[in-house]
Each structure stands twice: as structure tokens, then as C-alpha cells.
Amino acid sequence: MKPLNRTFSIAPMLDWTDRHYRYFARIMSAQALLYTEMVTTGAIIHGKGDYLAYNEEEHPLALQLGGSNASDLATCAKLAEQRGYDEINLNVGCPSDRVQNGRFGACLMAEPKLVAECVDAMRSVVDIPVTVKTRIGIDELDSYEFLTEFIDTVSAAGCDTFIIHARKAWLQGLSPKENREIPELDYQRVYRLKRDYSALNISINGGVKTLDECAEHLKHLDGVMVGREAYQNPYILAEVDQRLCGSDKPVLSRDAVLEKMLPYIEKHLQAGGRLNHITRHITGLYQGEVGSRAWRRYVSENAHKPGAGIEVIHQARASMEAV
């Protein structure tokens, strides 16, 4: 099995990194490792929808699971491998109340033995990598020793790849949004972790906004995971392969990216889907360009209307040109 390229990845983001966004991202970068939104074991096992659906073009693609029942996680990991996913990632970083009540996410940092059991259960039934995304600490448990004890325990169960969000999480008193912004970033702690655990594959996440910053992190670490910036300013993905992964293929223009999205959008519409299911992900494509506000406004005002079709995209682009 060819190892996954972890140089650059896009963070799992609830309500954002769905299969339409991931298809869009893949047009711009062939090398980026993509992650699903977090999917709970309960949704996969008991839910009525198909929570494992994706487009074949999205590979390499990791499924992020939320859960803390080792047996359920193993069941879901096995299903995901059968469906063709390239990696299973366990969420030990999300701080929301809903997630804590389900006993998964960041609160699991306080239970490293349970996380190790979950990792071991999944690894015993799949051949694809099982990885963990976590924080540098939670609440008052934020010493370097606390972090290394967690890493020691979980890596002993066979997990050799960790994605570290370089902030601690406050489980009480801060919203998930505030937990992405208020706790201070501590990149140096993640660098130290890599120095102390050189055999492990360690990626960093949190507050990364530019490819220059990615390149700086890659001097110290194996990979960089970018979240909000890759969503709100998606065109930064167009140079990931060239600047970070050594590709010599030409960089696609914004218009070329949009052109490549059109057949996918038309197929979605023909299948009965709504235009705004996809356009909500692509409104940031022209961020920073002259006329981008006109583009965004036209799309957001018209894409949600009943019967809205591909002409909305063309007209939005024309309104941008008019500026």
C-alpha cells in the first residue's frame, strides 16, 4: 500500500467539507489529503442516510470518525475501508457540548487508555492507516507532560500519525468557534513533540493562512493541515502541488477552476440537487479579485431560488466582468 502524502491536508470541518467542497478542492490540488466532516459512529450504524458517500475523484480521502465505543468504531472503520476510504481518523479535538455529551472529541484527551483501545480495535480490522487528530491539551490539563503521556499511550496501540491542533481546548465556557480562536496557538510545542518523537508522523493544524506559513512549518514537521483559510479563500489550493509538493504542472486560473466545476454542477442539478448545495462552497473562489463582491452577491441572492440553474453561475461571472 502506497503511503499517503501528508504534506498538505484540508481539515475536517462540520457543515463545510462535504463531498461538493471536496470535489471543488480536488480540482485545484491533486496532492492535498482531504478529510470528510466528522461523522459519528451512531450516524453510520443507525442513520437512515448514506454517511459514507463520496465522489471517486476525491481520493486520497480520509474519513473522520467521532465516537468512543471501540466496537462501534471498528465496525465503522471496516465499512469505510470496504467503501474505499484511504484513512480513518479519530476525532479527539472537537470541544462542542454535543460532542462531549456523546463522550467523544476533545474530552477524550483525558482518557488516553480509551483512545488507545479505540485505535487498537480499528487497526485490528483494517489495513488502511488509523490516525488521531487532537489538541495540545484541555482545560487545566495543558502541560507538555500531559500531551506526551497521551502520545505515549496512543502510539503504543499502533497509531503512528497524529494531527495536532496547536491550541488547547476549554471544554466549558467557550463555544467551538471561540475554541478555534481564543486559546493561544503554541506551534513550538508541536515542533518539540516532533523532535522528541521523530519516528512519528506529526502534522500541525491551527491558524495557518498562507502557503509561506505552510512551508515554514514543514521545516519542522511532516505535514500541515489548513482549515478555514482553505474554505474561505479556496484559491490558495491552486498552488499547493507546485509550492509544497514539487509538482511542475501548470497552476489553474480561477476561471479554469470554475470551468471544471460546471459539468459536476450540471450533473448534480440533473440528479435533482439544488444549485446552492454547491455554490455555497465556491463563492470564495474570486476572493481578492476586482468584482469579487459582485460575484458573491449575485450567487448568494440567486442560487437558492427554486429552479436556479447553471445560468446563475454565468450571470454572476458576467456581473463580475461588468465591474
Side-chain angles (χ1 to χ4, degrees):
M1 189 167 55
K2 189 176 161 208
L4 293 174
N5 180 354
R6 301 181 181 282
T7 304
F8 182 94
S9 57
I10 299 177
M13 291 177 282
L14 215 49
D15 299 325
W16 288 9
T17 50
D18 67 11
R19 61 196 178 93
H20 302 313
Y21 170 77
R22 297 191 306 261
Y23 185 92
F24 174 50
R26 181 59 73 218
I27 286 173
M28 291 176 277
S29 171
Q31 304 279 348
L33 177 55
L34 304 180
Y35 282 75
T36 68
E37 306 166 85
M38 182 189 70
V39 186
T40 65
T41 53
I44 294 169
I45 295 169
H46 306 295
K48 291 190 165 51
D50 180 1
Y51 289 91
L52 296 177
Y54 64 91
N55 307 289
E56 280 301 319
E57 295 85 352
E58 293 172 40
H59 290 294
L61 177 65
L63 171 71
Q64 189 184 61
L65 286 174
S68 60
N69 179 298
S71 171
D72 288 352
L73 284 162
T75 297
C76 294
K78 188 74 184 160
L79 287 170
E81 184 181 50
Q82 288 166 355
R83 292 289 290 271
Y85 280 89
D86 302 298
E87 173 190 319
I88 306 296
N89 178 262
L90 181 63
N91 182 322
V92 188
C94 180
S96 84
D97 293 342
R98 190 168 63 84
V99 164
Q100 287 178 61
N101 292 337
R103 199 176 170 215
F104 51 93
C107 62
L108 287 177
M109 273 203 93
E111 300 186 72
K113 286 184 176 154
L114 176 58
V115 175
E117 281 171 31
C118 292
V119 165
D120 184 56
M122 290 188 282
R123 288 187 73 249
S124 69
V125 297
V126 299
D127 294 321
I128 55 176
V130 175
T131 68
V132 167
K133 183 172 189 291
T134 189
R135 297 271 183 148
I136 57 174
I138 48 172
D139 297 337
E140 303 303 335
L141 301 170
D142 61 354
S143 67
Y144 185 67
E145 291 66 34
F146 172 75
L147 177 59
T148 55
E149 185 185 331
F150 177 85
I151 298 293
D152 285 337
T153 306
V154 179
S155 62
C159 180
D160 61 5
T161 300
F162 292 85
I163 301 144
I164 312 288
H165 186 154
R167 287 184 174 93
K168 75 172 180 178
W170 285 103
L171 298 182
Q172 303 295 330
L174 291 185
S175 70
K177 181 177 186 295
E178 288 168 333
N179 259 305
R180 289 192 295 269
E181 295 164 355
I182 291 175
E184 285 185 20
L185 284 160
D186 189 348
Y187 294 146
Q188 293 303 322
R189 189 177 302 197
V190 186
Y191 294 174
R192 180 182 174 189
L193 198 65
K194 177 61 188 176
R195 288 196 300 271
D196 292 347
Y197 294 85
S198 57
L200 296 179
N201 188 295
I202 295 179
S203 293
I204 199 164
N205 170 231
V208 183
K209 292 193 180 311
T210 68
L211 297 187
D212 286 343
E213 289 171 36
C214 291
E216 187 57 39
H217 287 308
L218 289 168
K219 292 176 185 174
H220 307 274
L221 297 155
D222 302 295
V224 182
M225 176 180 273
V226 177
R228 281 168 294 168
E229 195 66 20
Y231 189 89
Q232 290 161 353
N233 182 22
Y235 192 65
I236 69 160
L237 302 177
E239 291 185 41
V240 162
D241 297 359
Q242 294 80 356
R243 291 189 49 193
L244 303 179
C245 304
S247 170
D248 57 3
K249 67 172 188 178
V251 175
L252 286 175
S253 68
R254 294 172 203 255
D255 285 345
V257 172
L258 185 63
E259 202 61 39
K260 283 178 174 283
M261 265 314 274
L262 294 179
Y264 179 82
I265 295 171
E266 287 182 317
K267 192 173 165 188
H268 174 71
L269 293 171
Q270 283 161 8
R274 293 177 65 100
L275 182 64
N276 63 330
H277 291 165
I278 298 177
T279 53
R280 71 190 188 95
H281 300 303
I282 68 173
T283 53
L285 176 60
Y286 291 98
Q287 184 168 314
E289 298 291 287
V290 174
S292 62
R293 192 174 294 172
W295 151 266
R296 275 198 313 272
R297 186 187 302 125
Y298 194 92
V299 171
S300 55
E301 286 176 359
N302 294 282
H304 67 279
K305 293 177 179 173
I310 208 83
E311 73 285 344
V312 170
I313 307 275
H314 294 305
Q315 284 161 357
R317 190 69 190 85
S319 74
M320 187 177 171
E321 289 292 327
V323 173

